[in-house]
Amino acid sequence: MNKMYVNVIHRADRGPAMREGLRFQQDAAHEAGIRTTILMSYEGLCDPEMVAYVKTQQQLGDEIGIHFHNFMCEEMRPFAESDDMALYLHSTASKKSIVDRIFQTFEEAFGFAPVSIGGYILDSETILYIKQKQPQVKAAITNCFEEGVKMFEGNNNSWYLFSDGGPWGAFYPSRHHHLAPARSAEEAIDIVSLPHLNRDMVLALTSRDDYFSSHPANVMRAKANDGPRSPYMRRFVDQWIQQKDYNGFSYYSVFVSTPWVMPGNIFVDDAEHAKALYVDSLQYLRQKADEGEAELATMSGFADAYRLLAGPDKPEVNLWKDILAGTKRQTFWYVDSAFRCAIDLNIGGTICDLRPYVGELSGDMGPDTEILWNGNHPYLIAKEHRGHSGHRCVVSIGGASASIENVRTGGRVGRSAEGKHQLIVDPIVLEVGGHEVTLESTFTFEGAGRIRIERRVAAVSDPDVEVGVAEVFDGCYGTTIYPEDMRGIGLHAEGAAESASLAYAYRSGKAAVESPKRLSATVPKLRTRVSLVPEPGSADRGSVQEGVLFKPYYKLSSEKTLKQGGATATWLILEQA
């Protein structure tokens, strides 16, 4: 039977208040029959009373590991080059020194080396170093899914944690970027990478996603609770359980640091309500385990299970519905080692986010790196950051046209005859030039950086009318809300009889061909080429076009004229350039 694997993780920090909070959390977990994973911060390791308490929990069967938050203190200062509170923002040499000191202190305190570790971000060079020096490590929390630009804005532009663009679940990290899944065992760092928390996969695009996560007290910050009750939190668990039916299993992490269940937290209206929400969440997970829907595990226990369930480059999908307001909105996600993609069914099935991993860019941060603080993985499409970007279908009749973006729809997860993941979009009806056109769309994720997009004109109010069906890719690149320098991008249109190219110069340049074979944009900064490749007979005309400074995007367009019952198939392909 497919299951959702659950980790309940606590962090042990310094001081009597932290010990009191941890004691409450541990007691709540044990009352629910849950073994926890306790991750010791360096400050916690420097507190003899906290170490002594955690040892009592180890004797009860809980797992003990390391967390790389709350390490910068008086005891650490001699081992670090600066007083930066974030490990991932230290230089390579400083990262190594800090890591060595924390592992040494842990082993002196507990008498063994840990197999589970965590941080808000652990970049690839840090994970590699830890794995080389501490080969017993099995599992690591390495990222905070979609905590980046919107989190920065929502925290008074002062929270320097940029982690947009990676997977939402477990994966084997690649050696070049901690947010990119590895293609093979040779490319992988031999560790199971985990997210800090699970997120609401609709609101992760549209909101600060720390409001809506597997962190029960965060729903208080989002005002999604009614005192000690939060039906939203239970619906959230149920949505994550549903994902196992698409992937064979799912992963769920509850990681609440102790200040969230203690008096004095400025984001918590009532500490007793926060405690009640925490207890209810654990009890509900216990109920789901008793019903056979979930399996409760330590971090290393899940890592062992994951190695049996998934190898490198195992794709994962997620279909999420709006569980906060109860609208019909759905968002679909897909990730593998070549790219991560999000499709917003609220705007007709438009690709609204696309992160290419094929360029194998480095994600290592610090004062001795090129990217410094910016751990976000770059995008080609990010509609929430760069509003005009997206891949959409445009239908035209005569001089009138309509985009699928104007129609809300739904969808379901399927499989192709070859077993590949599919998003099957519910038919939509477009009003075009006084006619109604019913359009069906299917996305098939073929692997190796390829998506097959099929459109079918299921019905036209006048069956004799000719309908233009165009695949339109409006792209850019970047990691934030601001445009990057597009000069250097090359646009190319290859037709059956002729070809044309453009160098991006912000001059509205356009190149068009008949019977296009490939329409592409090469983005050197991302070492990536993105292409639309129509299947034979699926395109009559195509074009590539550059934008202007006020609208700095590039456009790839492939169009086919169809009648009722006609269909077209186009490949969206990402390759290393």
Side-chain angles (χ1 to χ4, degrees):
M1 180 180 180
N2 298 339
K3 292 182 179 180
M4 179 178 79
Y5 290 84
V6 178
N7 284 166
V8 175
I9 303 167
H10 297 145
R11 193 176 70 227
D13 294 317
R14 176 153 51 191
M18 298 299 101
R19 194 162 62 252
E20 179 185 348
L22 180 60
R23 190 184 303 276
F24 161 76
Q25 291 180 297
Q26 285 291 112
D27 289 348
H30 292 160
E31 287 172 11
I34 298 173
R35 290 177 62 202
T36 70
T37 299
I38 303 175
L39 300 182
M40 300 290 301
S41 71
Y42 184 65
E43 286 193 352
L45 288 168
C46 293
D47 181 344
E49 292 186 56
M50 180 60 86
V51 170
Y53 171 70
V54 170
K55 285 181 176 179
T56 68
Q57 303 304 288
Q58 182 190 9
Q59 293 170 0
L60 296 175
D62 296 313
E63 181 171 83
I64 316 300
I66 286 172
H67 199 280
F68 293 100
H69 189 55
N70 286 346
F71 69 87
M72 187 46 66
C73 54
E74 182 180 354
E75 294 91 338
M76 179 57 75
R77 197 63 187 87
F79 301 93
E81 291 180 355
S82 74
D83 63 358
D84 200 312
M85 63 174 282
L87 175 65
Y88 52 90
L89 297 181
H90 280 256
S91 71
T92 299
S94 192
K95 289 172 186 172
K96 291 179 178 180
S97 178
I98 292 166
V99 165
D100 287 345
R101 177 58 183 167
I102 295 175
F103 271 95
Q104 177 188 353
T105 306
F106 183 96
E107 292 184 40
E108 290 172 353
F110 289 96
F112 65 91
V115 295
S116 296
I117 62 173
Y120 287 125
I121 294 176
L122 295 178
D123 58 15
S124 288
E125 70 171 3
T126 305
I127 305 169
L128 268 170
Y129 180 72
I130 290 172
K131 190 62 183 178
Q132 290 164 359
K133 293 292 292 289
Q134 304 287 339
Q136 80 285 345
V137 173
K138 297 180 178 181
I141 301 167
T142 63
N143 67 94
C144 295
F145 178 74
E146 295 310 274
E147 287 200 26
V149 173
K150 292 189 176 183
M151 277 286 291
F152 186 68
E153 294 171 343
N155 282 274
N156 199 29
N157 298 331
S158 60
W159 183 244
Y160 283 79
L161 189 155
F162 292 88
S163 188
D164 287 345
W168 55 88
F171 64 102
Y172 299 99
S174 70
R175 293 172 179 266
H176 51 270
H177 202 298
H178 62 287
L179 294 180
R183 286 194 305 260
S184 63
E186 292 72 28
E187 184 185 279
I189 303 173
D190 186 22
I191 206 166
V192 177
S193 180
L194 304 174
H196 173 61
L197 292 167
N198 295 66
R199 311 293 178 160
D200 184 306
M201 298 295 284
V202 165
L203 297 172
L205 283 174
T206 62
S207 169
R208 273 180 57 183
D209 69 353
D210 62 321
Y211 283 169
F212 305 99
S213 70
S214 53
H215 186 308
N218 269 350
V219 301
M220 299 185 76
R221 181 157 50 171
K223 308 302 181 187
N225 65 300
D226 180 12
R229 297 178 60 257
S230 177
Y232 168 83
M233 196 75 246
R234 291 195 169 204
R235 294 195 296 270
F236 184 92
V237 171
D238 291 342
Q239 276 284 280
W240 277 103
I241 288 175
Q242 186 175 341
Q243 305 313 312
K244 67 182 175 54
D245 297 330
Y246 307 140
N247 300 290
F249 69 95
S250 59
Y251 173 74
Y252 191 87
S253 170
V254 182
F255 190 169
V256 177
S257 56
T258 50
W260 288 96
V261 293
M262 298 298 294
N265 190 312
I266 62 172
F267 299 113
V268 172
D269 298 330
D270 187 317
E272 293 306 310
H273 291 170
K275 288 182 177 181
L277 289 170
Y278 191 69
V279 170
D280 182 72
S281 182
L282 298 186
Q283 291 289 344
Y284 192 59
L285 289 167
R286 173 77 264 173
Q287 175 187 326
K288 292 301 176 182
D290 291 342
E291 293 170 357
E293 298 276 17
E295 182 167 323
L296 306 167
T298 61
M299 283 177 61
S300 67
F302 171 69
D304 290 340
Y306 184 76
R307 290 177 186 278
L308 298 176
L309 292 165
D313 200 26
K314 183 185 188 302
E316 185 172 357
V317 301
N318 184 292
L319 180 61
W320 195 269
K321 65 181 180 181
D322 173 19
I323 57 171
L324 180 66
T327 69
K328 295 180 179 180
R329 183 168 191 168
Q330 289 179 298
T331 303
F332 171 87
W333 299 76
Y334 173 91
V335 67
D336 65 15
S337 65
F339 63 86
R340 192 196 76 181
C341 171
I343 298 176
D344 191 347
L345 291 155
N346 201 51
I347 48 176
T350 296
I351 296 178
C352 62
D353 194 277
L354 183 61
R355 311 279 173 151
Y357 302 142
V358 291
E360 298 183 352
L361 304 176
S362 173
D364 294 334
M365 289 164 276
D368 53 348
T369 69
E370 182 178 347
I371 64 174
L372 296 174
W373 48 267
N374 192 353
N376 289 343
H377 197 287
Y379 54 73
L380 291 170
I381 291 172
K383 201 163 182 60
E384 287 295 325
H385 297 332
R386 305 286 303 283
H388 185 68
S389 65
H391 179 94
R392 54 188 66 81
C393 181
V394 177
V395 174
S396 60
I397 296 176
S401 64
S403 170
I404 60 171
E405 289 175 293
N406 300 319
V407 181
R408 172 187 283 175
T409 187
R412 59 186 174 87
V413 175
R415 295 273 188 171
S416 69
E418 295 74 28
K420 302 296 185 180
H421 286 293
Q422 290 183 314
L423 172 64
I424 302 167
V425 181
D426 295 342
I428 63 174
V429 178
L430 295 164
E431 299 281 345
V432 190
H435 300 278
E436 286 190 351
V437 179
T438 302
L439 185 72
E440 297 175 346
S441 302
T442 301
F443 296 81
T444 304
F445 297 84
E446 298 281 356
R450 300 172 302 151
I451 308 173
R452 185 178 187 269
I453 305 170
E454 184 177 4
R455 312 286 186 185
R456 180 174 176 271
V457 178
V460 185
S461 54
D462 181 351
D464 295 325
V465 168
E466 291 187 332
V467 179
V469 177
E471 298 294 334
V472 181
F473 185 103
D474 286 295
C476 53
Y477 79 95
T479 57
T480 70
I481 61 175
Y482 298 107
E484 301 284 348
D485 187 348
M486 303 284 276
R487 290 171 296 188
I489 292 177
L491 303 175
H492 184 71
E494 178 186 352
E498 58 182 343
S499 297
S501 297
L502 283 174
Y504 205 106
Y506 297 98
R507 300 294 198 277
S508 306
K510 182 177 181 178
V513 295
E514 298 297 312
S515 302
K517 297 169 66 177
R518 180 183 290 266
L519 306 155
S520 64
T522 300
V523 185
K525 292 289 182 65
L526 304 193
R527 299 178 60 202
T528 296
R529 179 172 75 160
V530 56
S531 303
L532 294 181
V533 178
E535 290 189 356
S538 283
D540 300 322
R541 53 204 161 271
S543 63
V544 296
Q545 185 173 359
E546 63 171 343
V548 293
L549 283 168
F550 198 82
K551 201 172 184 179
Y553 301 88
Y554 53 85
K555 185 188 296 289
L556 313 177
S557 180
S558 171
E559 186 174 6
K560 176 70 176 177
T561 300
L562 301 169
K563 286 190 174 182
Q564 179 173 294
T568 180
T570 306
W571 292 79
L572 174 57
I573 299 175
L574 297 175
E575 303 164 286
Q576 187 174 112

